[in-house]
Amino acid sequence: MLIFSIKKFRPSLLTLVCTGAVALGQADTGLQQLRYGNPGLTVDLAVGLWAWPMPMDYDGDGDLDLLVSCPDLPSNGTYFFENPGEGGAMPVFMPGVHLGKGYRSIRASHVGGMDRILIPAREFVGFRKKGFTDSVSIFPRENIHTNVIRNNQWSLLDYDGDDRIDLVVGVGDWTEYGWDNAYNARGEWQNGPLHGYVYWLRNTGSNARPVYGPKQFVEAGGSPVDVYGLPTPCFADFDADGDLDLVCGEFLDGLTYFENAGSRKHPHYLVGQRLRHDGGELKMDLQMILPAAIDWDDDGDVDLIIGQEDGRVAFVEHTGRMANGVPVFAAPRFFQQQAASVKFGALSTPVAVDWDGDGDDDIVSGNTAGYIGFFENLGGGARPRWAAGRRLKADGKVIRIQAGENGSIQGPCEAKWGYTTLSVADWDHDGLPDILVNSIWGEVLWYRNTGSRTQPRLTAARPVEVAWPGEPPKPEWCWWNPRGDQLVTQWRTTPVAVDFTGDRLVDLVMLDHEGYLALFERRRAGGKLELLPPRRIFLDEDNRPIQLNPRTAGKSGRRKITVADWDGDGRLDVLVDSVNADWWRNCETRDGNIVLKRVGPLGQRQLASHSTSPCVVDWDANGKPDLLLGAEDGFFYHLPHEEAIAYPAEARTASPARKSE
């Protein structure tokens, strides 16, 4: 029975020496991660976008720690979360310590009493002392799989029980999927599915000098193992019969179990079955799940440690029971850590607002998972102390917008994403703050607040409607039609609810269905509030309407904006996502239109490889707006106004429009 247990494999005691190592959430200059400032608070353990977990006794003190890697900006890195040795299977980990660069498709293998870490085609050498700087080639990457792949996961194990360490590779194949804009008029996906294959390469040499033979498919039921992308193969004796079974994750949220009905030396895998827990099919909260197999609680059976897209890591305990030949697991439990930096999933979209009516600005935010979270400001002035985030509810149910089978233009593989981006304003002018939200669907919704100023209570979402003169427009690639007069626009763009015209009615500033920055003006008609169709009143210096995103389908939208008087001149500017946030200064009014000049980014630090989401705060109450950004990694980044880039007058002034020839 092959089970990795901390009592079986105990590396020599190590002194953690990380030259230049910093705690997760600490930056060098400018745009610092927002800190909880709340000693004793515990929150979900998390890194940035994607969590590649590698459980091991990293510090050699006899208990299992977590190494977790995230490959994307801005908090790219591999982090060490120390287990303090208290709390049993669910300890409260110390804040993460940055060990080095983060990697996609990084995995740890526990073989021969050693922890060995691989990325595609390479193995890190001496990572406990050197960090992730020194790697050696182990096999040509191009010899594994030639189709379109997004994930390529390498690990080591004795696959066939001959005491020689073989090579195993999991591949996520996207060739048939095609990725984008493949729905028919009925919302049916016309391209193929994702595939997830597993190969093994037999070691015909020695463990000291391996020689890997030709790749072979791992088969189940007579056909190659094929799961829905991102297979992350975990070989272990899950049913305690002395041979290696297989558990694979996937790009979505489930896990598949392949029983070995053969032997240790001659594996024969049966058709896969979905893993279950006592409450039904075992599914994670989000997707892009990445399991690792280990006896975490040291009870003699193999558990799963699973990372997911929002950077969190869960313990999925093997109950020791079997049902219909399949191991039964407990429901996932997310690990906890001592609170450090404030985070809300991935691609967080914060707004600062006094949500609970106590006189200070809190944070309300969306994220990729489709939740809307509330972070209460507990006081502290310029450096607030924060409570742990709470998911907001509407009609008593947690708000969660998801794409489902056909809500994402990028296809059904994004079923569990929602990409909520929002603003908070008194939309119905009843004195209470409401929430307006756009999402992966591109439909703008309104959650009305029917509670009180200090105790908000949201009702179920209703569409934001526009007084269209005819059929409501929609992006040309949108397979479904708006219902009634609803507002449908480019996906994942911020609906900024603000009194832009100064008439004390809340308007809407956002991208229209073709990606132009537009004003949806509000008026009263017949005693009712009415939202007018968009006007492209925002012009560049040459009097051209500003199209923030001219691209189509999955490359459309995605723009996050806020409206604020950044320079205190009495005119509302627009801040737009960029490497951090670009300042588009409101320079003048020409013939009733607003001339915006793109001045440049407000900070020096690059926070985006995907997108950021800006808003403004004034926690120090100095009357100057400071910048607060949600980033791809889900953390919030703060930049005081005084530390923002100061641009000279010529950079802030619009040039006269050039005459066309």
Side-chain angles (χ1 to χ4, degrees):
M1 179 170 169
L2 288 183
I3 298 177
F4 176 71
S5 166
I6 190 62
K7 291 184 178 179
K8 294 184 176 72
F9 301 134
R10 181 172 294 184
S12 59
L13 183 65
L14 298 171
T15 301
L16 181 61
V17 179
C18 302
T19 304
V22 294
L24 176 60
Q26 294 300 292
D28 46 357
T29 58
L31 283 164
Q32 299 273 351
Q33 285 186 358
L34 186 68
R35 307 287 286 180
Y36 273 105
N38 192 349
L41 180 67
T42 61
V43 295
D44 287 346
L45 181 150
V47 292
L49 182 66
W50 284 42
W52 296 80
M54 296 173 285
M56 66 180 69
D57 183 9
Y58 182 76
D59 56 6
D61 65 353
D63 52 37
L64 287 172
D65 311 299
L66 278 175
L67 295 188
V68 188
S69 192
C70 64
D72 290 314
L73 290 174
S75 56
N76 173 289
T78 300
Y79 296 88
F80 164 50
F81 291 88
E82 182 183 357
N83 183 346
E86 301 174 351
M90 296 298 292
V92 177
F93 288 87
M94 305 293 287
V97 175
H98 187 272
L99 302 179
K101 182 181 176 182
Y103 294 88
R104 191 181 302 270
S105 299
I106 187 170
R107 299 199 72 195
S109 303
H110 310 288
V111 291
M114 299 175 59
D115 302 307
R116 299 173 66 178
I117 296 182
L118 275 65
I119 56 176
R122 305 191 70 81
E123 179 179 0
F124 289 104
V125 178
F127 64 91
R128 281 182 169 86
K129 294 182 179 180
K130 302 178 183 179
F132 297 90
T133 58
D134 192 0
S135 65
V136 296
S137 174
I138 56 176
F139 193 81
R141 179 172 180 167
E142 60 272 15
N143 290 359
I144 299 296
H145 196 86
T146 57
N147 284 1
V148 178
I149 60 175
R150 291 195 69 197
N151 303 99
N152 194 355
Q153 306 154 298
W154 295 46
S155 55
L156 299 168
L157 82 155
D158 180 6
Y159 177 83
D160 56 357
D162 64 355
D163 295 324
R164 286 181 266 192
I165 306 303
D166 308 304
L167 182 62
V168 172
V169 180
V171 173
D173 188 315
W174 288 63
T175 306
E176 295 180 23
Y177 189 82
W179 184 251
D180 200 24
N181 194 22
Y183 289 109
N184 63 20
R186 297 185 298 275
E188 301 163 336
W189 186 249
Q190 300 301 289
N191 290 348
L194 301 182
H195 294 282
Y197 304 117
V198 181
Y199 296 100
W200 79 284
L201 289 77
R202 187 180 185 188
N203 180 5
T204 60
S206 65
N207 289 333
R209 295 182 178 275
V211 178
Y212 299 114
K215 66 183 182 183
Q216 304 177 62
F217 277 115
V218 174
E219 295 190 348
S223 300
V225 166
D226 187 5
V227 297
Y228 196 71
L230 199 62
T232 321
C234 298
F235 289 90
D237 188 5
F238 290 98
D239 58 4
D241 65 353
D243 54 36
L244 296 184
D245 311 297
L246 171 62
V247 167
C248 287
E250 63 175 36
F251 194 82
L252 275 170
D253 59 355
L255 300 110
T256 303
Y257 171 69
F258 301 88
E259 181 187 356
N260 184 355
S263 66
R264 181 68 184 88
K265 291 182 177 292
H266 300 285
H268 175 71
Y269 294 99
L270 302 182
V271 172
Q273 300 184 69
R274 300 292 265 188
L275 282 185
R276 301 182 65 83
H277 64 83
D278 288 331
E281 187 174 322
L282 179 56
K283 292 186 176 183
M284 297 297 292
D285 182 56
L286 201 46
Q287 55 181 80
M288 296 184 346
I289 63 171
L290 300 160
I294 195 168
D295 183 7
W296 178 264
D297 53 7
D298 201 34
D299 65 353
D301 50 38
V302 184
D303 310 301
L304 295 171
I305 306 299
I306 303 179
Q308 61 178 28
E309 183 254 4
D310 64 359
R312 292 185 294 163
V313 180
F315 170 46
V316 182
E317 181 184 3
H318 193 314
T319 65
R321 296 183 285 110
M322 303 288 290
N324 299 317
V326 180
V328 179
F329 289 81
R333 290 183 284 168
F334 287 98
F335 287 120
Q336 299 288 290
Q337 68 166 85
Q338 296 177 12
S341 296
V342 186
K343 173 177 166 67
F344 189 53
L347 275 75
S348 55
T349 56
V351 296
V353 62
D354 183 8
W355 181 248
D356 56 6
D358 65 354
D360 51 34
D361 276 351
D362 313 297
I363 296 173
V364 176
S365 179
N367 64 14
T368 58
Y371 295 114
I372 298 175
F374 164 55
F375 292 83
E376 183 182 0
N377 184 338
L378 300 175
R383 296 182 178 273
R385 183 167 58 92
W386 297 97
R390 296 191 284 115
R391 293 169 181 169
L392 292 184
K393 297 180 178 180
D395 277 358
K397 299 179 180 179
V398 171
I399 296 170
R400 189 173 192 188
I401 298 173
Q402 293 180 286
E405 285 295 312
N406 51 25
S408 172
I409 194 62
Q410 295 183 158
C413 79
E414 298 195 343
K416 300 202 78 166
W417 282 327
Y419 291 106
T420 41
T421 181
L422 52 88
S423 65
V424 180
D426 183 7
W427 186 246
D428 58 354
H429 292 260
D430 67 350
L432 299 175
D434 310 301
I435 295 178
L436 273 71
V437 61
N438 191 14
S439 69
I440 199 166
W441 283 91
E443 59 178 353
V444 184
L445 302 174
W446 167 40
Y447 292 90
R448 187 184 180 210
N449 184 355
T450 60
S452 67
R453 190 62 190 91
T454 57
Q455 293 183 317
R457 184 174 66 250
L458 299 174
T459 61
R462 64 188 72 181
V464 169
E465 296 183 333
V466 178
W468 301 111
E471 291 293 318
K474 64 174 186 176
E476 61 178 347
W477 54 88
C478 184
W479 66 265
W480 57 279
N481 295 316
R483 297 177 294 277
D485 289 329
Q486 78 175 134
L487 173 55
V488 177
T489 187
Q490 294 199 352
W491 69 333
R492 302 163 58 178
T493 59
T494 315
V496 182
V498 60
D499 178 11
F500 194 86
T501 61
D503 62 357
R504 300 186 178 181
L505 296 178
V506 179
D507 309 302
L508 190 61
V509 177
M510 69 179 307
L511 270 63
D512 67 16
H513 67 289
E514 293 181 327
Y516 288 91
L517 186 63
L519 171 67
F520 297 74
E521 190 174 350
R522 209 76 171 283
R523 73 177 181 185
R524 292 192 183 274
K528 296 182 179 180
L529 288 168
E530 187 176 67
L531 189 65
L532 299 179
R535 293 188 291 128
R536 298 171 180 176
I537 69 166
F538 300 101
L539 310 179
D540 65 16
E541 296 169 274
D542 290 319
N543 293 333
R544 297 171 300 192
I546 294 171
Q547 191 177 23
L548 287 179
N549 198 328
R551 296 178 292 180
T552 64
K555 296 181 180 180
S556 69
R558 301 173 181 260
R559 304 310 301 264
K560 312 297 190 299
I561 65 173
T562 194
V563 174
D565 181 6
W566 181 255
D567 57 356
D569 66 353
R571 302 180 66 88
L572 290 174
D573 309 306
V574 182
L575 306 184
V576 182
D577 65 293
S578 67
V579 295
N580 44 74
D582 279 354
W583 176 23
W584 290 67
R585 184 170 180 263
N586 183 341
C587 295
E588 60 182 283
T589 301
R590 293 180 188 170
D591 301 322
N593 297 311
I594 305 297
V595 177
L596 298 179
K597 179 181 175 65
R598 185 178 183 176
V599 179
L602 293 175
Q604 299 284 352
R605 186 178 181 188
Q606 181 177 352
L607 294 183
S609 63
H610 195 287
S611 67
T612 60
S613 186
C615 69
V616 296
V617 300
D618 188 19
W619 291 317
D620 58 7
N622 68 354
K624 297 180 180 179
D626 306 317
L627 181 65
L628 182 69
L629 282 171
E632 184 169 326
D633 60 10
F635 292 102
F636 302 138
Y637 292 81
H638 181 242
L639 179 70
H641 194 281
E642 293 76 12
E643 297 180 21
I645 296 173
Y647 288 93
E650 59 269 23
R652 296 182 280 111
T653 303
S655 303
R658 292 174 294 182
K659 295 182 179 180
S660 58
E661 297 181 1

